[in-house]
């Protein structure tokens, strides 16, 4: 097992880093230590906490918020606030909808949205969109050398990681379904042998309706009601593109590294084995594993000596189970790791 | 169309045409409606208590389909609106 600064070297050119693992194994500390050490090496780094129960601010000993906080000239930190994010998300949806919804229906639709907001899963959905936006922006704007996500516990994180693909599959299905339907509708209209000016649910590229053919689309030609379906689909397509980009970034070994943190204990080892398995199902693999809270083998005290001996056995297990992945060791500290200078020295 | 200006022959041909096309039109319209019914279910399943994380990403489509929601839930054998709030009846 190597020390943490070797991991910093391994991740030197990787822009996106996710740090996952069971609760209590030191994910946040590991993520914060990585971020601090990247920054100390002169690489501009942003660390984002997505866990609803934030502890990132505690580790840095700084009050953080949903707005980017500058810690040093090379290090920024951000705690995604689910409440703010979900409010913004639904406000955006409402704005979009208001531009094309039937005015009589609007109060009902708003009521309906209000209810959707508190549905289980809404928060997760809004969060995921925010995470993907950060991911894609980070790579496109090239503002940071590294962007590190201190993620929520494993299972949840993995669902978040695989959701973009599911989402894309789902919206694709939805849209092609709608397209087929538009075709059927227009076929029915054709057979009817007379034209309906009723083309609400139409995509312009399979617009087979009998509209007077114009040589080109003149936006000022006549004030036709805007095609509502088209407007909604545009929003959906943008979202789909965002998820697809994020998904591609996640699966690109040169762009994203997934780091799993565990301790030399039975439960975290089992959990990590499961996590690796789940990652495999999503065609992903951890770039490295960090084994935290290790103690030195030579102890004065017989109690600690026994603990150290037991830990050695478990470390052997870890090396056996995870021999495909680079392993890094972090030793148990005398006191809690707090603040930048301690994080930079953690190795 | 002004029927007076049409010859009886034209009307006869139109009638034949109609006789030929009507069953097809009905079949196609029914297929379109069945597709739309499924689409409706996919859109609103989260509101109906069926877990579907993707529902939150298609909220923008709801206003367009909410207008036909009343006919839909009645067709689906739900006489009362299944949505708790913002429903239709």
């Amino acid at each position: 097992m190597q020390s943490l600064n070797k991991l910093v070297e391994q991740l030197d050119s990787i822009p996106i880093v996710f740090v996952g693992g069971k609760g209590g194994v030191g994910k946040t500390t590991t993520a914060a230590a990585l971020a601090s050490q990247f920054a100390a090496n002169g690489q501009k780094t942003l660390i984002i906490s997505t866990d609803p129960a934030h502890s990132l601010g505690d580790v840095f000993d700084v009050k953080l918020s949903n707005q980017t906080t500058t810690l040093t000239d090379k290090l920024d930190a951000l705690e995604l606030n689910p409440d703010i994010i979900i409010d913004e998300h639904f406000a955006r949806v409402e704005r979009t909808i208001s531009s094309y919804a039937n005015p009589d229906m609007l109060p009902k639709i708003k009521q309906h949205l209000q209810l959707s907001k508190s549905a289980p899963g809404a928060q997760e959905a809004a969060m995921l969109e925010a995470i993907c936006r950060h991911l894609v922006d980070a790579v496109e704007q090239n503002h940071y050398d590294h962007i590190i996500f201190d993620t929520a516990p494993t299972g949840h994180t993995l669902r978040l990681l695989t959701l973009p693909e599911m989402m894309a599959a789902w919206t694709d299905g939805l849209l092609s379904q709608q397209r087929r339907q538009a075709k059927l509708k227009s076929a029915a209209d054709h057979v009817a042998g007379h034209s309906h000016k009723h083309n609400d649910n139409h995509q312009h590229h399979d617009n087979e309706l009998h509209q007077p053919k114009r040589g080109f689309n003149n936006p000022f030609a006549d004030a036709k009601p805007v095609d509502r379906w088209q407007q909604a689909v545009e929003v959906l397509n943008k979202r789909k593109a965002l998820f697809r980009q994020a998904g591609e970034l996640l699966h690109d070994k040169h762009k994203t590294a997934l780091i799993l943190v565990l301790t030399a204990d039975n439960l975290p080892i089992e959990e990590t084995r499961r996590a690796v398995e789940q990652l495999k199902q999503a065609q992903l693999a951890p770039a490295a594993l960090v084994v935290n809270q290790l103690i030195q083998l030579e102890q004065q005290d017989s109690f600690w000596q026994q603990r150290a001996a037991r830990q050695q056995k478990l470390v052997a297990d870890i090396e056996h189970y995870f021999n495909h992945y680079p392993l890094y060791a972090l030793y148990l500290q005398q006191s809690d790791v707090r603040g930048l200078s301690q994080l930079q020295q953690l190795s | 169309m002004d029927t007076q200006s049409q010859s009886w022959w034209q009307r006869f041909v139109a009638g034949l045409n109609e006789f030929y096309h009507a069953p097809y039109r009905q079949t196609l319209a029914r297929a379109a409606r069945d597709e739309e019914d499924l689409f409706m279910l996919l859109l609103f399943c989260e509101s109906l208590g069926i877990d579907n994380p993707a529902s939150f990403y298609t909220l923008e489509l709801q206003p367009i389909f909410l207008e036909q929601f009343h006919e839909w839930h009645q067709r689906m054998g739900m006489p009362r609106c299944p949505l708790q709030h913002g429903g239709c009846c």
Side-chain angles (χ1 to χ4, degrees):
Chain A
M1 288 215 254
Q2 300 168 291
S3 62
L4 197 71
N5 47 20
K6 284 276 185 283
L7 178 59
V8 174
E9 279 172 35
Q10 184 196 324
L11 300 174
D12 181 69
S13 64
I14 310 261
I16 301 160
V17 181
F18 279 85
V19 182
K22 198 170 156 55
V25 296
K27 266 197 311 283
T28 306
T29 308
T30 306
L34 283 173
S36 311
Q37 293 178 27
F38 284 138
N41 293 344
Q43 295 184 304
K44 195 149 174 56
T45 305
L46 168 67
I47 181 163
I48 299 180
S49 171
T50 61
D51 198 330
H54 292 295
S55 52
L56 191 61
D58 301 339
V59 173
F60 279 113
D61 226 352
V62 176
K63 180 125 189 54
L64 297 175
S65 74
N66 202 55
Q67 296 295 323
T68 306
T69 306
T70 306
L71 298 177
T72 70
D73 60 346
K74 291 287 178 198
L75 183 59
D76 293 343
L78 180 67
E79 281 180 343
L80 295 183
N81 180 333
D83 299 331
I84 294 177
I85 282 173
I86 199 168
D87 283 346
E88 284 176 351
H89 178 83
F90 273 82
R92 252 198 316 276
V93 171
E94 202 172 294
R95 265 201 307 280
T96 308
I97 285 177
S98 302
S99 66
Y100 57 77
N102 180 343
D104 308 340
M105 304 281 294
L106 208 52
K108 273 186 175 174
I109 290 166
K110 280 187 172 162
Q111 230 181 350
H112 181 75
L113 271 185
Q114 212 46 42
L115 205 77
S116 301
K117 209 180 192 170
S118 55
Q123 201 177 43
E124 228 179 356
M127 254 332 217
L128 178 63
E129 195 159 2
I131 291 171
C132 288
R133 171 127 332 277
H134 277 291
L135 260 182
V136 171
D137 282 355
V139 173
E140 277 185 355
Q141 294 173 1
N142 216 346
H143 188 58
Y144 292 102
D145 296 311
H146 294 286
I147 178 163
I148 300 180
F149 290 91
D150 139 37
T151 50
T154 332
H156 167 83
T157 309
L158 289 178
R159 254 201 66 210
L160 285 185
L161 292 182
T162 53
L163 198 58
E165 296 155 57
M166 275 176 24
M167 253 304 301
W170 200 84
T171 42
D172 277 347
L174 207 66
L175 294 178
S176 68
Q177 158 100 0
Q178 186 54 30
R179 233 166 262 158
R180 261 209 316 282
Q181 213 194 304
K183 275 214 173 73
L184 280 172
K185 265 214 176 94
S186 73
D189 287 346
H190 269 300
V191 171
H194 50 79
S195 67
H196 285 293
K197 283 297 278 182
H198 166 78
N199 66 334
D200 247 357
N201 303 344
H202 260 270
Q203 301 247 315
H204 67 111
H205 41 255
D206 47 28
N207 209 339
E208 295 166 7
L209 288 175
H210 314 252
Q211 286 178 317
K213 286 267 191 296
R214 272 192 227 94
F216 58 95
N217 267 339
N218 180 359
F220 309 105
D222 53 355
K224 264 202 316 240
V226 191
D227 188 351
R228 304 181 307 159
W229 173 255
Q230 199 51 38
Q231 270 186 298
V233 162
E234 233 157 75
V235 176
L236 250 60
N237 274 335
K238 277 206 189 93
R239 183 173 291 139
K240 204 179 69 191
L242 174 72
F243 283 135
R244 204 193 43 246
Q245 274 177 297
E248 280 168 8
L249 286 173
L250 281 176
H251 284 86
D252 183 344
K253 276 202 199 59
H254 305 291
K255 291 269 192 281
T256 304
L258 303 171
I259 311 294
L260 295 179
V261 183
L262 69 159
T263 53
D265 287 299
N266 282 318
L267 291 180
I269 290 174
E270 286 308 315
E271 175 102 16
T272 307
R273 289 180 74 182
R274 273 197 298 273
V276 171
E277 218 31 65
Q278 282 174 318
L279 282 176
K280 238 187 221 147
Q281 282 169 6
Q283 275 94 46
L284 291 163
L289 271 63
V290 175
V291 188
N292 191 13
Q293 298 173 11
L294 289 172
I295 47 179
Q296 302 292 349
L297 195 53
E298 291 79 35
Q299 297 288 338
Q300 307 299 324
D301 182 289
S302 72
F303 170 82
W304 284 107
Q305 188 56 59
Q306 276 186 9
R307 297 280 308 179
R310 177 176 166 277
Q311 206 176 52
Q312 276 306 304
K313 211 175 80 41
L314 289 166
V315 167
D317 283 349
I318 290 175
E319 285 173 333
H320 167 73
Y321 291 140
F322 306 113
N323 60 355
H324 300 306
Y325 311 107
L327 296 171
Y328 296 91
L330 263 180
Y331 281 85
L332 190 65
Q333 308 296 306
Q334 280 188 343
S335 59
D336 288 350
V337 184
R338 286 285 176 278
L340 258 174
S341 61
Q342 286 189 32
L343 285 165
Q344 280 175 2
Q345 274 140 37
L346 192 68
S347 67
Chain B
M1 273 275 189
D2 182 10
T3 33
Q4 292 307 309
S5 66
Q6 284 182 314
S7 68
W8 73 266
W9 172 250
Q10 276 174 314
R11 274 178 288 150
F12 175 67
V13 170
L16 268 185
N17 254 325
E18 182 59 17
F19 180 74
Y20 175 78
H21 281 303
Y24 290 98
R25 191 168 57 239
Q26 202 181 20
T27 308
L28 282 167
R30 195 172 290 136
R33 202 190 66 189
D34 287 350
E35 292 248 322
E36 192 157 315
D37 285 348
L38 174 64
F39 191 69
M40 219 43 166
L41 179 65
L42 289 174
L43 272 191
F44 288 96
C45 60
E46 188 75 41
S47 319
L48 298 170
I50 307 165
D51 267 350
N52 179 359
S55 278
F56 296 104
Y57 297 118
T58 52
L59 288 170
E60 285 90 350
L61 296 177
Q62 291 194 354
I64 298 172
F65 287 86
L66 216 50
E67 294 167 23
Q68 303 144 32
F69 193 80
H70 181 68
E71 289 80 38
W72 178 80
H73 75 71
Q74 291 197 320
R75 237 192 346 261
M76 295 295 112
M78 295 176 265
R80 310 275 319 157
C81 179
L83 303 177
Q84 256 91 30
H85 296 277
C88 36
C89 54

